[in-house]
Amino acid sequence: MRKLNKLILPLQQGPDLTLGQFLETVEECSPQTAYAVKIRLHEMADGELKDMEFFFSTIPTQFTAFDSEAYKTSVVGLFIRHMLLAYNKLSFSQVYKLYKSLQHYYHSHYAKPADEQSSLPVLSADDSDMDLTSTEDTEGDRMDKEELDTTLHESDLRAPSRGPLSQKQAEYFLARQAYLLKNDENKALKPAALQEELNNMLKFNPDFAEAHYLNYLNSMRVQDIFLSTHSLLHYFDRLILSGNEGKSNGDEGYGRSLRYAALNLASLHCRFGHYHQAELALHEAVRIAQESNDHVCLQHCLSWLYTLEQMKGSDSTVLTEDSVKMAAHFCLPYLASLGIQSLVQQGATQGKTAHKLMDALKDTDILHWKSASQLHTVTQHCQHCFTMALQQAQLLLNMSSLEPVNFGVQQNNTEAFAVVLCHLAELHAEQGLYSTASQIIQHLKERFPQHTQHAKLWMLCDLKIQFEKHMNEGKYNLAEPLVTAICALNKTEGLYRKAQVLKALNCSTEAYSILQELQAHCEKTKCTEMVIRVMLSTAELHWESSGFSTALPLLLQALALARQHHLQSLASETILHLSFTQLMLGVPEQALNVLHEAMEPILAHGSVMDKGRAMLLAARYSRLVVLAVDSLNEAAAYFSKLDCKERLRDVHYLHAQLHHSLGQTAQRNKSAMLFRALDQELQSPPDAVRL
């Protein structure tokens, strides 16, 4: 009965449904009730007018019974009472017209082909005759916003009818779609379908401000800058001209609408990368907010100012600190939390120690739990993911919502969830678990379809995983086309991978030129991680020309940067390069000492490729042949997991040499045979200076 009570409000306030949609909705709630409804409708529609009158005459008995589920104080009882009052006001001709409309409603459903029953309903003239609420007494029919906390049914996802909607139907539809766009975009109508319905709604009521705002949100989904700006301005124009805003200053009125219109316009330009226009709009919002003494609006403006400075690549630490202090002063915990997390992110890029950053994030926990803000808690766990990846990622994904669940939807389709799932996919791919990574990507595709705003995250993640897989397998012809797609989503990542492909294809001059250009750009934008990766790739290019002495200072510089910014993974990878360089320079003792420093973190947290390279390098250093063979066996297991045939060929070659020195002819011949098979398959000479 509880489910049935929750079902009443969407049916009453929502758009009109066909009989098929109505029965499907009721059946999801209660199959027994749906069967009873079918029987009752059949008796009335295939019977006579007296059958419908008998139905209404039996209602008062059930309505007055205290043990009835339709008791007058229940939700169902209130609905039945409203229906009875409306029915009793009808004249005989109106009752007869209602009965004929019921017959048409019933028989039109069964007269349609099966494939047409699920199509969108078209409002006919007769459909409106069945609206018992279309009487003189319509006061109180408007839905209160707090009554939207209902369960989302399948019928809620369908678009409203094509004809003009009542005010309550339009408000319900707009509120539901706006909520879904915010919390679970995948369950909202597709952009084209929603645009069509909004156009139909605005055709009958061009001054409907809420419809213009939903149009703005829908346009943002497809990155339509013109329509989104147009709809946003129309929304505030209608809002200002509406009768609800009679004051010119204060918390309500024209001034409030104007300053928040400027603030929203600034955020819109920020999202599309129009920094100059965003700055002008922010200054306008600040000016109006100062005139109205609106501290809340001023704090939002300050938050967008430091966000804009970050997007432009400038240092916004001072602005962010001021924003946190003022937000705490005016009791705005959500803005204070965002500011602290922004400071932590900036501190991470500036080389602040990890324990200080973790302490800062820990201090925001109290703010999150006091304000019950799940979104900011999720964002904080996302920040933690880069230091305690698996633990924090699982904690975030298994979080229960702290906020009320409306329309049966929880806030689990935010950007933080997309980032964490992408991070998990990359972690699995690094360990050679490509099938698991593919399943995570598939889940991301279902949760964040291509038209949604966070789809770019999994698109880039998927392309990067495919690229690394093809590069590890030596399939450079398959990796090369992915570079263009990666560049379209992230130019920096795309250029770096283009240099990797060129280096693998022995186009050293072109690769070196791209790496130098990329390093200059990343140093300017303070992208330290990419700077270190570029330095490592440049050092590998120097190896190919036997410039080991030239690569050495470059690697030392990269190691200093990695340690300064506490990037343990990149520091370990740099040590591997440094150790190999020292080995090729003829100082194996120093190289071995350096390798021991990186071996433990690599075997504990490194990728499968790094583990394999570390074990292969350890085998070259080992003075005991037996230990060298064991290291090579372990390296072969790692490279086999990635199907990295070029490195497996190197392992088999060293295996054959070691077995030959031990006089183990059978094992030597087996390793030599494996080497020859891979050498013939690859049809490329072995790289003697590859780590």
Side-chain angles (χ1 to χ4, degrees), residues 536-687:
L536 297 182
S537 296
T538 306
E540 292 174 358
L541 285 177
H542 289 309
W543 291 349
E544 294 180 1
S545 60
S546 299
F548 298 102
S549 57
T550 309
L552 191 58
L554 195 62
L555 292 172
L556 290 173
Q557 184 181 356
L559 182 60
L561 272 176
R563 286 175 171 171
Q564 178 186 347
H565 290 81
H566 310 284
L567 303 172
Q568 186 188 59
S569 177
L570 285 175
S572 300
E573 188 176 353
T574 305
I575 289 174
L576 283 184
H577 283 70
L578 190 60
S579 178
F580 178 76
T581 303
Q582 290 176 327
L583 176 66
M584 300 306 292
L585 287 173
V587 283
E589 293 81 6
Q590 295 181 12
L592 184 59
N593 293 333
V594 171
L595 179 62
H596 285 162
E597 183 181 348
M599 189 64 76
E600 182 178 344
I602 286 177
L603 294 179
H605 310 295
S607 65
V608 173
M609 175 60 74
D610 287 342
K611 292 176 183 178
R613 293 194 297 180
M615 297 310 299
L616 181 59
L617 196 55
R620 291 175 173 175
Y621 291 136
S622 181
R623 298 176 182 177
L624 297 176
V625 179
V626 178
L627 292 178
V629 171
D630 292 340
S631 298
L632 286 175
N633 289 334
E634 194 170 347
Y638 289 133
F639 293 141
S640 298
K641 203 170 185 179
L642 298 174
D643 196 22
C644 188
K645 295 179 181 179
E646 290 186 346
R647 297 185 184 278
L648 278 173
R649 179 176 59 180
D650 298 339
V651 171
H652 293 318
Y653 179 77
L654 290 175
H655 252 146
Q657 285 186 323
L658 290 175
H659 287 306
H660 179 72
S661 64
L662 292 174
Q664 298 172 345
T665 308
Q667 291 89 333
R668 179 202 64 189
N669 292 342
K670 180 181 178 181
S671 298
M673 181 186 67
L674 292 172
F675 168 79
R676 181 176 178 81
L678 287 175
D679 191 53
Q680 290 177 345
E681 180 181 349
L682 294 172
Q683 295 182 349
S684 61
D687 192 349

Side-chain angles (χ1 to χ4, degrees), residues 451-464:
H451 64 269
T452 57
Q453 58 178 328
H454 303 314
K456 288 183 178 180
L457 295 172
W458 64 257
M459 289 180 184
L460 181 60
C461 177
D462 188 24
L463 289 170
K464 286 162 65 175

Side-chain angles (χ1 to χ4, degrees), residues 332-373:
L332 300 172
Y334 56 97
L335 289 180
S337 174
L338 286 176
I340 293 174
Q341 293 182 28
S342 179
L343 284 173
V344 169
Q345 191 172 11
Q346 293 178 61
T349 59
Q350 293 171 1
K352 297 289 180 65
T353 55
H355 71 276
K356 290 184 178 179
L357 300 179
M358 299 292 283
D359 287 341
L361 287 176
K362 183 181 67 176
D363 292 339
T364 61
D365 284 338
I366 300 176
L367 286 174
H368 299 156
W369 294 111
K370 280 185 176 180
S371 60
S373 175

